[in-house]
Amino acid sequence: MECDSEYQRTSSSATDSIGATPDGNVESAGSLELSSGSVDLLADTRVFLKDNLKSPMKASLKEVHFAGYTIHEKSQISFQLMNASLKPQRYHLLPPQTKEFSVKVKNRLGGVVPGMYDTVYVDFKASEYKPCYTDCLRVHCEGEHNLAIPLLAYPIPGVALPTHIDFGACSVLDERHTTVNLTNSSECTFEFELDLKSEHRCFTVSPLQGTLPPQESVTVNVKYAPTDYVTSSANLCLMVNQKFFKQRQCKLLGSSLPGLPATHGV
């Protein structure tokens, strides 16, 4: 299931809406009573929009991210669902459709008055590693301005790249070598790609792409071989095929001066 900007339910399985008593125990129907069939009807016939500016209910989190997880261990994230309108509001909280996500609400008595909020607790627990689990929490409001809150859980590759590599000075037509280990600290397999951006051809990197097995490392070879008496630089960018992975960058530096002894590929 992908988390898009518009959500309509396609499954016909019966579920309950989620509300809660003041002590935080989850029960069917928060402020408005619904049967399972009514919940299915709402989910099938209503549109739920992410970042719905017209919705009277506003969530303190636009998306719920479980960034990094351990199988068989439960993680919990809470957020506030606030009444941003000028009048009391009642709503239905339609629960996630997948077994890995569950929700409970600490609900106030009756409707939510303007400026006040309910606290929503989202739990995640998985029995196997996957690149990304997705689901959606849907808030059915009075009127047609319904809200969707994407739920996502994914492993963190944990792949590091040095911020800079300085080869120092060496003679023309000489070579300097170093290696970089890309370590995947997660339990999922990822693909990586390296992009070398430079105006000089004196830097060589290999391999430029490959696979990162779980809990293993891949060695990347970096070579500097100047052909002119000049200071050279390059940017080495690392990308991993994980949706929320932030690009890593490494600055490569090297220079060549006349009269330096050859090191013969140190």
Side-chain angles (χ1 to χ4, degrees):
M1 174 183 176
E2 296 293 334
C3 284
D4 300 319
S5 60
E6 180 175 304
Y7 298 81
Q8 280 187 302
R9 186 178 175 190
T10 57
S11 171
S12 61
S13 59
T15 56
D16 292 330
S17 66
I18 292 182
T21 57
D23 61 3
N25 295 321
V26 176
E27 64 177 13
S28 175
S31 300
L32 299 174
E33 294 294 334
L34 282 180
S35 65
S36 296
S38 297
V39 172
D40 287 334
L41 181 62
L42 279 177
D44 289 336
T45 60
R46 299 294 190 273
V47 174
F48 297 81
L49 298 176
K50 176 186 172 185
D51 299 333
N52 189 348
L53 298 179
K54 295 182 179 181
S55 176
M57 303 301 296
K58 305 296 182 183
S60 58
L61 294 178
K62 293 184 179 180
E63 296 182 344
V64 178
H65 288 248
F66 292 88
Y69 62 86
T70 302
I71 58 172
H72 307 303
E73 291 186 8
K74 184 172 72 173
S75 301
Q76 185 178 87
I77 294 177
S78 64
F79 66 90
Q80 297 172 354
L81 192 58
M82 187 183 72
N83 178 5
S85 72
L86 299 177
K87 64 178 183 178
Q89 294 289 329
R90 295 187 177 186
Y91 66 92
H92 304 119
L93 197 59
L94 279 65
Q97 301 174 43
T98 55
K99 64 180 181 180
E100 288 80 15
F101 294 96
S102 60
V103 177
K104 58 183 177 181
V105 184
K106 189 172 184 180
N107 182 259
R108 300 174 187 274
L109 287 172
V112 184
V113 299
M116 299 305 291
Y117 60 86
D118 287 344
T119 301
V120 181
Y121 299 89
V122 183
D123 292 338
F124 175 79
K125 184 177 180 181
S127 59
E128 62 178 318
Y129 284 105
K130 292 183 179 180
C132 189
Y133 285 91
T134 62
D135 208 317
C136 184
L137 186 61
R138 290 156 297 171
V139 183
H140 175 244
C141 306
E142 296 183 73
E144 296 300 323
H145 302 304
N146 304 310
L147 184 65
I149 305 169
L151 310 177
L152 306 101
Y154 45 88
I156 300 296
V159 183
L161 191 69
T163 57
H164 71 280
I165 298 175
D166 191 346
F167 289 94
C170 67
S171 62
V172 169
L173 302 180
D174 200 1
E175 296 180 357
R176 294 283 177 89
H177 298 265
T178 191
T179 59
V180 175
N181 289 324
L182 303 180
T183 302
N184 178 10
S185 59
S186 78
E187 298 293 339
C188 288
T189 298
F190 293 98
E191 303 295 323
F192 75 90
E193 182 175 339
L194 291 164
D195 183 20
L196 181 62
K197 299 179 180 179
S198 176
E199 297 179 357
H200 308 279
R201 296 184 178 181
C202 52
F203 296 102
T204 305
V205 177
S206 66
L208 289 175
Q209 59 185 13
T211 300
L212 290 170
Q215 299 294 332
E216 293 187 20
S217 298
V218 172
T219 298
V220 176
N221 299 293
V222 185
K223 182 177 74 172
Y224 171 59
T227 57
D228 297 298
Y229 294 118
V230 67
T231 297
S232 303
S233 65
N235 285 321
L236 183 62
C237 302
L238 169 67
M239 284 300 299
V240 174
N241 70 328
Q242 206 273 356
K243 184 177 180 180
F244 303 99
F245 182 83
K246 293 183 179 180
Q247 180 178 276
R248 310 282 197 264
Q249 293 195 17
C250 175
K251 185 83 168 182
L252 305 182
L253 297 170
S255 62
S256 180
L257 299 172
L260 293 176
T263 56
H264 303 294
V266 173

